[in-house]
């Protein structure tokens, strides 16, 4: 790495790295370091009248206070932080005191990983700490951490820019309190979800992510190319059609927790790559699935929060069963006064236009109803609410309603104004399914790029016979948002999708060479703030030489700065 790309702190750390190596200390040792305790456990288990406890701990240095022959350091491990007391004569019992005087006091930096062997005690200030008897450097940090400082309960120098936090999650996890806890809670959500499904005898499976047909949902797919087969493939938008094949194959119940990919927008509630759980159980219907879902979510909320309620956006949301059940057409009528039931596509389109909604001719009846619900209803359901009985045009994979003509046995679960789950009494009539796929293809012909494509192999599977089945899909990322009280999906994803990092436009070496600048001067000019050749157009030659000289001196570069006449030639060529 070019030294000019480094900050002064980074240069200092690399110099310390060199000095450590010159002393024969490996700053990145390979051997196992046998830790036997964690910070929080040490503090929780300490009793003043217990026998002295020997411990071996390791972690990242978060602060150092050097006081002559003794020092204090704060160590952060995977569970929390603990203070370490280090004295010169304890870690350097022999005559040579370099390990303390040079290594610990001068060559260590905040962010370095160290190992400490010693015993637990309480300081005169009452803080439970580890008195070091041995010290080992485990990893040298070359970049300084943004350290958050606290005074009177107020945080200063926060690392709180969302762009940086999401892009550099590894830093966010180290320096910001509570971030790691969110992801531990996410783990609890997934663990509890699996426990409930496993307890009920359902089998966790894995199905293809690369698929020849993007089916199982209405969404725009990502497309890639499979070189070995010389054909385009789709990243899956849902696991549904493969899981149903397994029900055909004889499984009682199957579920998959995995990634889906939808080539659509990004916002506070959507990420193109997201985690979804889909469950299919034979001989069940959507009524059973509503009851099962209520109990499942109540148990997850208790596991995460210790109670069936969670505060989100200043509102207390209760996941305690049962939840309200409301047909979608009734919901639209309730919120708009417009009765969609029995209306034609044109009548619905006319009403949407009357309301000033943005719609187009590619939208069929189902899409228009979906737009109406999204515009006027969805955001109003804060407490968990099952929206049920969707029109057939909106539900190409759902069984027709047993008593309501034109409707299907489907529900979506709304919580805090957003969809959390989607479920059906699954369509198992292969003739009906094929007809609905054909209708979807007509929508695709009209320009709907989210319409489903006919999956002939899935139709073939249905023709072998699929038992009555209920299925559900639950968005895990949104579920974690609800259970942790987060309002942005990026807060519950370790590494959310981000726009490319902004880069400063720079002239390349060939462009600099055209005005006579040698390659070795290009990084120095950039360090001085001249990223483009044209940036030096209005500079005075003597002033530019001074700026170049300052950088050569500051970074101790063994280079002779160019003469004023040489620099004037550069400037003249730009102005020709």
């Amino acid at each position: 790495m070019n030294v000019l790309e480094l900050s002064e702190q980074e240069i200092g750390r690399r110099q310390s790295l060199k000095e450590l190596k010159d002393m024969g200390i490996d700053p990145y040792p390979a051997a196992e370091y046998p830790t036997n305790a964690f910070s929080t456990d040490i503090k929780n288990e300490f009793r003043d009248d217990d026998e002295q406890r020997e411990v071996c701990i390791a972690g990242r240095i978060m602060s150092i206070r050097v006081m002559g022959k003794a020092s204090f350091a704060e160590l952060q491990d995977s569970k929390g932080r603990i203070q370490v007391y280090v004295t010169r004569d304890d870690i350097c019992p022999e005559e040579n005191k370099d390990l303390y005087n040079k290594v610990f006091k001068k060559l260590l930096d905040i962010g370095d990983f160290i190992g400490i062997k010693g015993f637990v005690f309480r300081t005169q200030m009452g803080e439970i700490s580890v008195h070091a008897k041995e010290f080992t450097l485990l990893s040298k940090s070359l970049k300084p951490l943004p350290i958050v400082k606290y005074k009177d309960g107020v945080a200063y120098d926060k690392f709180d820019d969302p762009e940086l936090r999401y892009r550099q999650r590894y830093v966010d996890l180290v320096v910001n309190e509570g971030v790691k806890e969110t992801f531990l809670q996410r783990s609890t959500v997934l663990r509890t979800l699996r426990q409930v499904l496993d307890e009920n005898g359902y089998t966790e499976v894995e199905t293809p992510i690369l698929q020849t047909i993007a089916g199982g949902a209405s969404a725009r797919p990502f497309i890639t190319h499979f070189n070995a087969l010389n054909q385009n493939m789709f990243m899956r938008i849902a696991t549904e059609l493969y899981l149903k094949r397994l029900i055909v194959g004889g499984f009682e119940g199957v579920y998959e927790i995995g990634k889906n990919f939808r080539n659509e927008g990004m916002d506070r509630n959507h990420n193109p790559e997201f985690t979804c759980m889909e469950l299919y159980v034979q001989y069940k219907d959507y009524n059973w699935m509503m009851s099962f879902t209520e109990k499942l979510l109540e148990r997850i909320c208790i596991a995460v929060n210790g109670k069936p309620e969670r505060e989100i956006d200043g509102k207390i949301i209760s996941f305690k069963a049962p939840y309200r059940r409301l047909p979608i057409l009734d919901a639209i009528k309730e919120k708009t006064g417009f009765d969609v039931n029995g209306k034609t596509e044109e009548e619905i389109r006319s009403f949407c236009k009357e309301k000033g909604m943005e719609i187009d001719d590619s939208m069929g009846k189902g899409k228009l109803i979906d737009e109406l619900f999204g515009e006027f209803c969805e955001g109003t359901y804060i407490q968990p609410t099952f929206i049920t009985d969707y029109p057939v045009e909106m539900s190409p994979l759902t069984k027709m309603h047993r008593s309501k003509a034109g409707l299907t046995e489907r529900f979506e679960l709304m919580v805090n104004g957003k969809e959390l789950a989607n479920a059906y009494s699954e369509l198992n009539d292969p003739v009906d399914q094929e007809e609905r796929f054909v209708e979807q293809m007509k929508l695709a012909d009209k320009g709907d790029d989210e319409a489903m494509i006919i999956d002939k192999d899935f139709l073939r599977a249905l023709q072998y016979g699929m038992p009555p089945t209920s299925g559900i899909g639950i968005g895990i990322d949104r579920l974690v948002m609800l259970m942790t009280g987060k309002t942005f999906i990026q807060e519950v994803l370790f590494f959310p999708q981000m726009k490319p990092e902004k880069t400063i436009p720079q002239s390349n070496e060939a462009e600099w060479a055209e005005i006579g600048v040698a390659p070795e001067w290009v990084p120095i000019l950039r360090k001085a703030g001249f990223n483009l050749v044209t940036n030096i157009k209005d500079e005075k030659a003597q002033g530019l030489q001074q700026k170049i000289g300052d950088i050569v001196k500051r970074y101790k570069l063994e280079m002779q700065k160019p003469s004023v006449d040489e620099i004037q030639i550069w400037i003249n060529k730009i102005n020709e």
Side-chain angles (χ1 to χ4, degrees):
M1 177 176 284
N2 192 313
V3 68
L4 295 175
E5 297 176 11
L6 303 175
S7 67
E8 291 186 21
Q9 284 193 63
E10 289 174 299
I11 292 172
R13 286 173 181 241
R14 287 169 187 260
Q15 181 59 37
S16 296
L17 180 72
K18 181 179 182 303
E19 291 184 41
L20 287 165
K21 290 179 178 179
D22 290 345
M23 293 176 67
I25 297 173
D26 184 355
Y28 306 104
E32 173 193 6
Y33 193 78
T35 60
N36 61 15
F38 292 100
S39 57
T40 51
D41 299 333
I42 290 172
K43 289 188 280 190
N44 291 336
E45 296 166 6
F46 179 81
R47 301 292 180 272
D48 289 298
D49 54 356
D50 285 349
E51 290 186 13
Q52 190 177 89
R53 179 185 175 186
E54 302 289 330
V55 296
C56 179
I57 62 172
R60 190 190 291 271
I61 298 173
M62 298 306 292
S63 68
I64 300 179
R65 287 180 289 132
V66 176
M67 300 177 294
K69 297 179 182 179
S71 299
F72 286 97
E74 186 179 39
L75 225 61
Q76 178 171 292
D77 62 18
S78 61
K79 290 190 175 183
R81 297 186 181 189
I82 193 166
Q83 181 173 265
V84 173
Y85 177 62
V86 182
T87 67
R88 185 192 68 182
D89 293 337
D90 278 328
I91 66 170
C92 303
E94 306 297 329
E95 186 175 340
N96 187 329
K97 307 296 182 182
D98 282 352
L99 187 63
Y100 181 81
N101 290 338
K102 191 169 184 181
V103 176
F104 193 89
K105 290 175 65 175
K106 298 178 180 179
L107 301 182
L108 288 188
D109 293 290
I110 291 174
D112 291 353
F113 282 88
I114 62 172
I116 297 290
K117 291 182 181 178
F119 61 88
V120 185
F121 76 111
R122 189 187 295 276
T123 67
Q124 291 181 348
M125 299 298 292
E127 185 167 353
I128 298 167
S129 307
V130 175
H131 187 129
K133 304 298 286 185
E134 294 181 29
F135 148 69
T136 305
L137 175 62
L138 299 177
S139 181
K140 182 69 183 164
S141 169
L142 298 184
K143 258 191 179 317
L145 287 167
I147 298 300
V148 183
K149 302 179 181 68
Y150 293 90
K151 184 176 181 181
D152 300 326
V154 179
Y156 297 89
D157 301 325
K158 288 171 137 183
F159 185 69
D160 58 1
D161 181 270
E163 174 84 8
L164 287 175
R165 288 186 55 233
Y166 304 152
R167 200 180 296 282
Q168 299 180 30
R169 182 68 82 187
Y170 38 88
V171 177
D172 188 32
L173 287 163
V174 172
V175 303
N176 285 328
E177 294 180 3
V179 175
K180 188 174 182 180
E181 180 62 26
T182 296
F183 291 98
L184 292 174
Q185 290 175 324
R186 182 183 178 112
S187 181
T188 300
V189 168
L190 289 167
R191 184 169 58 252
T192 307
L193 177 61
R194 280 191 168 94
Q195 285 174 351
V196 173
L197 298 176
D198 292 345
E199 286 168 8
N200 280 271
Y202 308 139
T203 304
E204 183 171 9
V205 299
E206 295 175 288
T207 61
I209 291 176
L210 285 177
Q211 302 182 354
T212 55
I213 292 174
S218 296
R220 185 183 299 117
F222 284 92
I223 303 173
T224 186
H225 190 75
F226 196 149
N227 290 333
L229 297 178
N230 192 27
Q231 71 174 41
N232 284 342
M233 303 285 284
F234 301 98
M235 302 289 281
R236 72 180 177 203
I237 58 176
T239 55
E240 177 168 348
L241 300 186
Y242 278 98
L243 293 176
K244 286 182 181 178
R245 286 170 168 90
L246 298 179
I247 295 295
V248 171
F251 280 88
E252 177 198 358
V254 291
Y255 72 93
E256 182 168 9
I257 301 172
K259 295 286 190 181
N260 290 341
F261 306 84
R262 298 185 182 178
N263 198 356
E264 297 167 349
M266 297 186 296
D267 58 32
R268 62 186 293 175
N269 294 296
H270 297 88
N271 195 64
E273 173 187 351
F274 63 97
T275 305
C276 187
M277 187 285 296
E278 290 198 39
L279 165 71
Y280 294 84
V281 186
Q282 63 182 3
Y283 310 124
K284 308 297 185 186
D285 67 2
Y286 80 140
N287 292 312
W288 176 89
M289 189 62 81
M290 279 187 262
S291 298
F292 181 82
T293 303
E294 293 169 334
K295 295 169 187 173
L296 171 67
L297 296 183
E298 182 178 347
R299 181 163 163 186
I300 290 173
C301 189
I302 292 171
V304 174
N305 299 295
K307 56 186 177 181
E309 296 87 27
R310 175 75 213 197
E311 182 176 343
I312 305 168
D313 297 333
K315 306 176 289 283
I316 301 297
I317 295 179
S318 174
F319 288 93
K320 188 170 181 59
Y323 306 158
R324 184 188 183 193
R325 304 182 184 192
L326 178 66
I328 187 171
L329 300 188
D330 292 354
I332 292 173
K333 184 177 180 180
E334 184 180 275
K335 300 298 180 182
T336 69
F338 180 67
D339 190 353
V340 179
N341 196 27
K343 295 294 191 298
T344 65
E345 180 179 317
E346 286 310 311
E347 288 174 319
I348 299 171
R349 189 185 308 279
S350 176
F351 179 77
C352 290
K353 289 180 179 178
E354 180 185 318
K355 289 292 185 179
M357 295 172 58
E358 294 183 10
I359 58 173
D360 57 59
D361 292 339
S362 72
M363 295 180 179
K365 185 176 180 180
K367 190 86 170 183
L368 293 170
I369 293 172
D370 194 26
E371 291 293 315
L372 273 173
F373 181 80
E375 181 77 16
F376 297 104
C377 307
E378 183 173 335
T380 68
Y381 299 109
I382 304 304
Q383 297 302 323
T385 304
F386 291 115
I387 303 298
T388 68
D389 303 345
Y390 283 68
V392 64
E393 295 88 352
M394 298 177 67
S395 313
L397 298 169
T398 312
K399 191 184 286 287
M400 294 298 292
H401 199 285
R402 67 195 75 176
S403 61
K404 299 177 183 178
L407 304 181
T408 60
E409 296 198 347
R410 172 188 176 188
F411 73 77
E412 288 187 337
L413 177 59
M414 301 293 164
V415 187
N416 199 32
K418 292 296 176 185
E419 174 199 342
L420 174 62
N422 189 16
Y424 315 146
S425 292
E426 300 294 338
L427 180 59
N428 60 345
D429 179 341
V431 175
D432 189 0
Q433 180 64 85
E434 184 171 11
E435 290 173 352
R436 298 208 211 166
F437 274 147
V438 170
E439 289 301 313
Q440 286 284 302
M441 291 305 294
K442 290 179 182 178
L443 292 175
D445 292 340
K446 289 174 65 176
D448 187 347
D449 57 4
E450 294 185 351
M452 290 191 195
I453 299 172
I454 296 177
D455 187 333
K456 293 182 179 178
D457 180 69
F458 175 65
L459 288 174
R460 178 168 56 196
L462 284 188
Q463 289 167 12
Y464 280 102
M466 185 176 87
T469 299
S470 183
I472 188 170
I474 297 177
I476 297 300
D477 305 321
R478 286 193 185 174
L479 176 59
V480 174
M481 289 172 66
L482 291 168
M483 295 301 170
T484 59
K486 302 300 180 184
T487 54
F488 291 87
I489 195 171
Q490 292 83 3
E491 294 286 349
V492 300
L493 301 174
F494 271 127
F495 304 105
Q497 297 295 329
M498 304 287 291
K499 293 179 181 178
E501 287 189 68
K502 293 179 181 178
T503 56
I504 300 172
Q506 293 182 336
S507 296
N508 58 37
E509 288 187 358
E511 291 171 301
W512 285 104
E514 288 179 8
I515 65 168
V517 178
E520 60 266 25
W521 293 113
V522 173
I524 295 173
L525 285 164
R526 287 174 179 165
K527 191 68 178 179
F530 303 104
N531 290 294
L532 300 174
V533 170
T534 53
N535 291 155
I536 69 170
K537 180 178 180 180
D538 299 321
E539 290 290 312
K540 301 293 183 185
Q542 191 167 356
L544 183 52
Q545 186 198 45
Q546 181 64 46
K547 292 176 182 178
I548 292 172
D550 288 344
I551 292 173
V552 169
K553 183 178 180 181
R554 188 191 320 159
Y555 286 91
K556 301 177 182 177
L557 303 176
E558 296 180 359
M559 302 173 69
Q560 183 68 40
K561 63 185 178 182
S563 68
V564 172
D565 289 341
E566 286 178 289
I567 295 174
Q568 189 62 58
I569 291 172
W570 303 347
I571 297 170
N572 290 343
K573 284 189 176 180
I574 295 172
N575 288 289
E576 286 177 355

